[in-house]
Amino acid sequence: MRYFFHIGYHGTKYSGWQKHAGVMSVQLVLETALGKLFKHPVAVVGCGRTDAHVHASQFFFHVDVEHEWDFDLFFRLNKILPDDIALFDIIPMQGLPHARFDAVQRTYDYFIHTYKDPFLSDFSSLYLERNLDIDAMKKATALLPLYDDYRAFCKMPDRIDHTICKVSSAGLFVDQSGDRIRFHISANRFLSKMIRIIVGRLLDIGRGDMSVDEFEHYLASKQTPQIIIPAHPQGLYLSKVTYPYLDLAPRTNFSGFLF
């Protein structure tokens, strides 16, 4: 039988979700923990990949089991997982739905703070920028759902079949002091480092190093810039994953905490 596991994780200590030899990943921690509880190797399939130090306030993976367990898996798994990975739900599924391929929409949030604060450094990206042009950044953000080819915002576009992404919504939000910024975007798929590259361009616009017209030119022309500098990873969250048959609210909403 197939089960979906609904989790969240703070990614600062990890090389990302995906398991790689010689590094610590979220997938490795979960497979090791489940292997201890089931007393045999367990393979998990995640709903996507996150870069090193990127977080997920909502993430799903699936596991296939031959026989249903006879112990409190929810309690025991949370007990042995580290504090920066939490299990929220275990959901039995009919048939063989796929945690990665069946997702129809993913939502990300990217948080920025413009003053040094030791209590935000692990959860939000610090950019010491006091005079960002927020209006220009919002105008550029509003352009994103109008285009569907994000080749200019992909780190390695020639390594994938296509760079089409259907962005359903995008927004930029700022608190009253102007010290905290949240970029929010939803789409059917995302490219390698796409969101961090977009945020980096928005910061360029905010500083006056790029115009909104130049930003739109990249969207329209699909030209890959010679120099691509993604924004810092620690401000990025995978915050919602939606399936045709499963649409759960995230257990933790960081918008209020970080805003």
Side-chain angles (χ1 to χ4, degrees):
M1 187 169 181
R2 179 160 292 182
Y3 290 84
F4 270 38
F5 286 63
H6 177 204
I7 67 168
Y9 57 84
H10 180 203
T12 298
K13 296 179 181 178
Y14 302 100
S15 64
W17 160 263
Q18 191 80 2
K19 185 168 59 176
H20 296 285
V23 296
M24 183 61 69
S25 69
V26 179
Q27 182 182 18
L28 175 63
V29 171
L30 285 162
E31 288 186 345
T32 301
L34 286 167
K36 289 180 180 178
L37 293 173
F38 284 106
K39 302 188 186 326
H40 61 76
V42 176
V44 309
V45 178
C47 62
R49 301 179 182 180
T50 54
D51 292 339
H53 316 306
V54 170
H55 319 291
S57 49
Q58 183 172 81
F59 194 95
F60 293 94
F61 66 87
H62 74 244
V63 171
D64 293 329
V65 297
E66 291 186 13
H67 306 286
E68 189 173 0
W69 51 88
D70 58 357
F71 56 89
D72 189 344
L73 177 59
F74 181 86
F75 174 80
R76 291 192 187 183
L77 185 55
N78 267 320
K79 190 75 173 176
I80 65 174
L81 286 173
D83 291 340
D84 50 15
I85 303 176
L87 173 64
F88 302 137
D89 301 285
I90 303 175
I91 307 163
M93 306 300 293
Q94 297 296 320
L96 295 175
H98 199 284
R100 179 183 175 189
F101 298 137
D102 287 357
V104 294
Q105 180 175 273
R106 294 175 177 84
T107 298
Y108 283 84
D109 287 281
Y110 189 98
F111 294 91
I112 295 170
H113 58 292
T114 61
Y115 61 96
K116 194 171 183 180
D117 186 329
F119 301 103
L120 290 177
S121 57
D122 283 343
F123 300 96
S124 173
S125 288
L126 171 62
Y127 284 93
L128 294 172
E129 306 285 354
R130 303 302 300 172
N131 298 299
L132 290 171
D133 187 342
I134 299 297
D135 288 339
M137 294 170 69
K138 286 185 175 182
K139 289 178 181 177
T141 300
L143 294 170
L144 294 171
L146 305 180
Y147 294 86
D148 59 12
D149 194 327
Y150 281 82
R151 182 179 179 84
F153 299 90
C154 180
K155 190 70 174 177
M156 296 173 288
D158 294 329
R159 295 189 181 184
I160 55 179
D161 292 337
H162 67 88
T163 53
I164 301 299
C165 301
K166 303 293 185 181
V167 175
S168 52
S169 64
L172 192 77
F173 308 93
V174 186
D175 69 350
Q176 290 185 345
S177 67
D179 291 325
R180 295 189 187 179
I181 301 167
R182 176 168 66 97
F183 173 71
H184 178 85
I185 187 169
S186 297
N188 67 326
R189 67 190 290 260
F190 290 92
L191 310 176
S192 174
K193 296 183 171 55
M194 171 177 156
I195 301 165
R196 290 169 56 198
I197 292 170
I198 291 174
V199 172
R201 292 302 185 190
L202 293 177
L203 286 167
D204 287 340
I205 292 170
R207 299 184 190 104
D209 297 331
M210 175 181 284
S211 70
V212 176
D213 287 343
E214 288 176 293
F215 182 83
E216 186 168 17
H217 170 75
Y218 281 121
L219 282 167
S221 68
K222 310 174 187 63
Q223 294 177 353
T224 305
Q226 291 184 344
I227 300 175
I228 297 179
I229 302 176
H232 305 322
Q234 64 267 32
L236 182 58
Y237 292 74
L238 173 57
S239 49
K240 192 167 188 347
V241 184
T242 305
Y243 299 89
Y245 45 77
L246 185 64
D247 187 3
L248 295 182
R251 182 62 61 90
T252 302
N253 184 351
F254 278 97
S255 301
F257 173 69
L258 291 174
F259 225 39

